[in-house]
Amino acid sequence: MSSTGVKMERAKPVSYTTMDSPVGPLLLAGDAQGLRSLSFEKSKRAERVQPDWKQDKAPFAEVIRQLRAYFSGKLQEFDVQLALEGTEFQLSVWRSLQTIPYGETISYGQLAQRIGNPRAVRAVGLANGCNPIPIIIPCHRVIGSNGSLTGFGGGLANKKKLLALESSQMSLL
């Protein structure tokens, strides 16, 4: 997976599409620079289609193929061009999330240590919650220090489904 820049100008036009998934409808948005957003449509924090966006499924064919393979238990690592925007701190957290192996979990404290800032547990949690591309950037693999499932933009039931898929290598499709 590749990611670029802190605050980039968006290439025009931004395209979007939706896809059905075992964790509910997903909204995908991106531009020529890459995927910018994967959003759970039924989430309180769901990305909203903007008036200047163009509905077009074609640019997302590979993303959709990989997501379907993931949900069917056949893909463990995504290879999708990402166009991430965030602070340097957020980008460091999101890059670190991408190093958590499929089927494994870590705590927010461990994630803070991985980015070299062990006292930033709460800030890591906030950055994790701002992840614009969940599933592909696997923020669902971060759990509480006591092993509890904690916040997830797609809902705790979906977090549980994603972790079950990865731990048992079963298909959600």
Side-chain angles (χ1 to χ4, degrees):
M1 261 179 287
S2 28
S3 58
T4 56
V6 174
K7 292 189 179 182
M8 304 182 320
E9 286 297 313
R10 289 186 184 222
K12 296 291 181 187
V14 172
S15 298
Y16 77 96
T17 193
T18 58
M19 72 172 277
D20 290 327
S21 84
V23 291
L26 300 174
L27 172 69
L28 306 172
D31 57 28
Q33 295 170 341
L35 184 67
R36 292 189 172 274
S37 175
L38 184 158
S39 180
F40 294 87
E41 282 196 329
K42 297 191 180 197
S43 167
K44 292 176 191 172
R45 298 186 333 214
E47 177 91 36
R48 301 290 175 229
V49 174
Q50 300 301 307
D52 61 334
W53 290 7
K54 175 185 164 196
Q55 188 167 11
D56 185 0
K57 193 171 197 155
F60 303 100
E62 181 59 17
V63 175
I64 291 169
R65 184 196 69 74
Q66 288 187 38
L67 284 166
R68 287 188 177 139
Y70 169 81
F71 289 126
S72 68
K74 295 177 181 155
L75 181 86
Q76 295 184 4
E77 192 171 314
F78 291 92
D79 183 16
V80 174
Q81 180 66 33
L82 305 177
L84 295 170
E85 291 181 278
T87 66
E88 284 295 339
F89 182 81
Q90 288 172 326
L91 291 169
S92 71
V93 170
W94 300 338
R95 281 189 293 269
S96 188
L97 288 171
Q98 294 175 60
T99 68
I100 305 169
Y102 180 93
E104 295 183 21
T105 58
I106 66 170
S107 71
Y108 291 97
Q110 290 169 311
L111 185 56
Q113 288 176 352
R114 280 189 181 190
I115 65 164
N117 200 341
R119 302 171 115 215
V121 176
R122 286 187 181 195
V124 161
L126 289 172
N128 200 47
C130 292
N131 174 12
I133 308 176
I135 303 172
I136 293 174
I137 298 177
C139 55
H140 60 279
R141 296 179 187 156
V142 183
I143 59 174
S145 59
N146 63 0
S148 64
L149 296 186
T150 57
F152 181 61
L156 289 182
N158 282 334
K159 183 173 188 164
K160 189 173 183 177
K161 282 182 188 179
L162 294 170
L163 292 174
L165 165 70
E166 292 184 10
S167 67
S168 61
Q169 298 195 6
M170 295 176 59
S171 170
L172 288 180
L173 294 177

